[in-house]
Amino acid sequence: MRTAFTELVGVEHPLAGFNRTPAVVAEVSRAGALGVLGATMYSPEELDEQLTWIEEQLGGRPYGVDLMVPASTTQQDLNTLVTDLRSQIPDDHRRFVDGLLEKYDIPPVSENDALDRLGRIDASLETNMDTAIVSELLDVAFSHRIALVANALGTPPPAMLERAKAQGVPVAALVGKREHAEKQLAAGVDLIVAQGTEAGGHTGNVATMVLTPEVVEIAGDVPVLAAGGIASGPQLAAALALGAAGGWAGSVWLSSHEDAASQVIKEKLLEATSSDTVVSTTRTGKSARQLRSAWTDEWQAPGAPSPLPMPLQSMLVREAWERIDVTAEKGSGPARELESFFVGQVVGSFRGLRSTAEIVQDIVEVCEARLAELGRLVEPVQR
């Protein structure tokens, strides 16, 4: 299949696979699609290491990286900034989280138990608004052979767009509304990812079926990828039928062997139905679709405080989630009740763990078959 997207980034299949695990990214690209590394929680040094490793696996095949580059950054000293932000967290919220951990018997994390894996957040990354850090991350990304750079936070700043264009790297941006797409197009992005509410992580309230054609209508020559609910061949075929140049898949890779999620999280995902997700602000301060659990239910209970805005909420709950993850992996039932992860409504289609390569192959082959079937529905015009 050849589309404007495959031509733009040089891949065989009109599919982008977004994941925070380098092994998944590499396998998606090896299978002929475009692996995109979700790198918002890496330090510059870690990002350099991961991109180097990915390139070693790919032998020149294209891949992309997704960063969080705010339109404006701060010149304030980072330690001072973090201290100031933490001082804005109300004591009532701290007491609520402490009480929640006590209720579910979640002990503190010792040095021996501390997680050393993807998802970890240190003080320097709690805001990602520091000028030096953002600049270093961009330096690292553009020092590698990336085929695409995506911005996970609003419109890419002019400096990012100028640098990408100078180096011939297409810039992608995620949108959840038509008006967001209008701003991105005016800024000059090369690819729009129209993400419907079905998607995992930060998402809006417009469905993919509605959002995609709205964005395609105004995008002109700029390719559009449909995101949210893209986990199978028929869903990719539907995206193409809506006028998209391909699909952007994220949640489906959580059902891969290569994804870094813990065994506890994967077990819960395999048990879930498509109705077992909830859009909640309780992890980051912004609306994000995730697996419903005791954690999200407790924040909805009478007397619970309202979640704080980003980045205060993520700073409030960062340590709590590390404690929950560690305790759940040790076999704690109460911790398992709290355990959750960002995932879209396609979680209900997970039937078991597969290799990333198998997932890509299945999506592409079934998509091609479905498109052929649809083509046979149209009878030749008799003249």
Side-chain angles (χ1 to χ4, degrees), residues 95-237:
R95 284 192 290 269
F96 176 79
V97 173
D98 290 342
L100 190 57
L101 296 175
E102 182 178 356
K103 176 179 177 179
Y104 286 84
D105 196 23
I106 309 297
V109 174
S110 69
E111 291 185 6
N112 293 332
D113 289 332
L115 296 179
D116 184 17
R117 68 171 191 223
L118 302 177
R120 169 173 55 82
I121 307 173
D122 60 34
S124 66
L125 299 175
E126 282 185 313
T127 64
N128 208 30
M129 299 290 284
D130 179 68
T131 302
I133 291 176
V134 173
S135 178
E136 287 180 34
L137 288 170
L138 288 173
D139 286 344
V140 169
F142 286 117
S143 71
H144 286 269
R145 300 188 304 272
I146 56 174
L148 180 79
V149 60
N151 187 24
L153 187 66
T155 305
M160 177 182 175
L161 286 162
E162 292 168 5
R163 186 168 183 179
K165 292 185 183 299
Q167 295 191 210
V169 178
V171 178
L174 277 69
V175 304
K177 294 182 179 179
R178 176 183 174 130
E179 49 264 43
H180 295 164
E182 291 172 343
K183 293 179 181 179
Q184 303 284 12
L185 291 166
V189 300
D190 305 290
L191 177 71
I192 296 287
V193 180
Q195 180 176 285
T197 189
E198 302 96 319
H202 294 128
T203 188
N205 55 17
V206 181
T208 304
M209 181 68 73
V210 175
L211 178 65
T212 301
E214 284 187 346
V215 175
V216 168
E217 181 182 20
I218 64 173
D221 294 332
V222 176
V224 176
L225 297 184
I230 309 298
S232 69
Q235 289 161 340
L236 179 57

Side-chain angles (χ1 to χ4, degrees), residues 68 85 126-127 153 202 284-286 308-314:
M68 185 180 291
L85 288 170
E126 282 185 313
T127 64
L153 187 66
H202 294 128
T284 70
K286 289 186 66 176
L308 301 169
M310 180 184 277
L312 299 182
Q313 183 69 14
S314 59

Side-chain angles (χ1 to χ4, degrees), residues 328-357:
E329 288 187 28
K330 288 183 175 182
S332 165
R336 192 181 192 278
E337 291 180 46
L338 291 170
E339 191 65 276
S340 176
F341 201 71
F342 302 108
V343 69
Q345 292 179 324
V346 295
V347 67
S349 67
F350 295 176
R351 297 292 177 264
L353 299 182
R354 298 179 290 168
S355 70
T356 297

Side-chain angles (χ1 to χ4, degrees), residues 19 41 63 79 89 103 123 125 144 157 173 190 196 259 294 296 302:
N19 193 270
M41 290 304 171
Y63 73 98
N79 290 328
I89 299 175
K103 176 179 177 179
L125 299 175
H144 286 269
D190 305 290
D259 182 81
T296 54

